Amino acid sequence: MSPAADPSCLFCKIIEGKIPSSKVYEDDDMLVFHDIHPWAPVHFLMVPKVHLASMAQVGPEHEALLGRMMSLAPKLALQEGCRPYPEGGFRVVINTGQEGGQEVQHLHVHVIGGPRPWLKG
Ligand code: AMP
Ligand code: ZN
C-alpha cells in the first residue's frame, strides 16, 4: 500500500486494484473510472492517487495536480462520448463535505455528459 493511501477508503482500494473499476485513464498521479451509478450517458470520476479527503484539503501544493486533472477532462469527455462544445459539452462537479453532498471521502471530480435527459441534474 502506498503511504499516501487510507486503508478504509473505497477509492484508495480502487486505486490499488483491490476493488475493480471500469478504467478510463491512468497515469502516475490519477485514476479515471466510470461511475458505478451513472446519472447520464457519460459519467466518469477523476481521482488523484494521493488520498485527499475532499477539495477542502486542497492547497497550493496541489495546483499542478488539479490543473492536470482539469486540463485532461475535456479530452476524456470527448473520448467517452460527449459531443463537442457548444452543442454538446459536459458538467464538472466536485461535491465537498456533508452539505456539499459528498458521499465518498476521497477527492473526486465527476465529469457528466451525453444526450439528455439525465437521471440527475
Ligand atoms: P459523491 O457523492 O460526490 O461522493 O460521489 C461518489 C460517487 O461514487 C457516486 O456517484 C457513486 O455512484 C460512485 N461510486 C461509489 N462506489 C463506486 C465504485 N465502486 N465504483 C465506481 N463508482 C463508485
Ligand atoms: Zn482514499
Side-chain angles (χ1 to χ4, degrees):
M1 189 194 307
S2 143
D6 175 338
S8 65
C9 170
L10 173 65
F11 286 175
C12 284
K13 288 180 192 161
I14 288 178
I15 289 161
E16 292 180 332
K18 291 179 180 160
I19 291 177
S21 68
S22 167
K23 195 189 295 183
V24 171
Y25 172 86
E26 181 170 18
D27 65 25
D28 288 348
D29 302 319
M30 70 180 112
L31 180 67
V32 182
F33 51 92
H34 293 113
D35 196 292
I36 204 164
H37 298 303
W39 312 349
V42 177
H43 188 172
F44 58 86
L45 303 174
M46 306 185 72
V47 176
K49 287 192 172 176
V50 62
H51 179 83
L52 281 168
S54 81
M55 197 167 181
Q57 282 70 37
V58 166
E61 67 275 29
H62 305 113
E63 279 175 9
L65 173 64
L66 265 70
R68 287 202 56 239
M69 291 171 71
M70 288 298 126
S71 61
L72 189 60
K75 186 181 155 202
L76 295 181
L78 289 175
Q79 180 188 301
E80 289 302 302
C82 293
R83 293 193 302 140
Y85 174 92
E87 294 82 8
F90 52 87
R91 177 175 293 177
V92 173
V93 174
I94 305 177
N95 295 324
T96 306
Q98 275 184 33
E99 292 182 347
Q102 183 181 2
E103 290 176 1
V104 176
Q105 307 305 310
H106 180 129
L107 174 63
H108 52 282
V109 178
H110 294 259
V111 180
I112 303 151
R116 289 176 177 268
W118 297 353
L119 285 179
K120 288 196 220 176

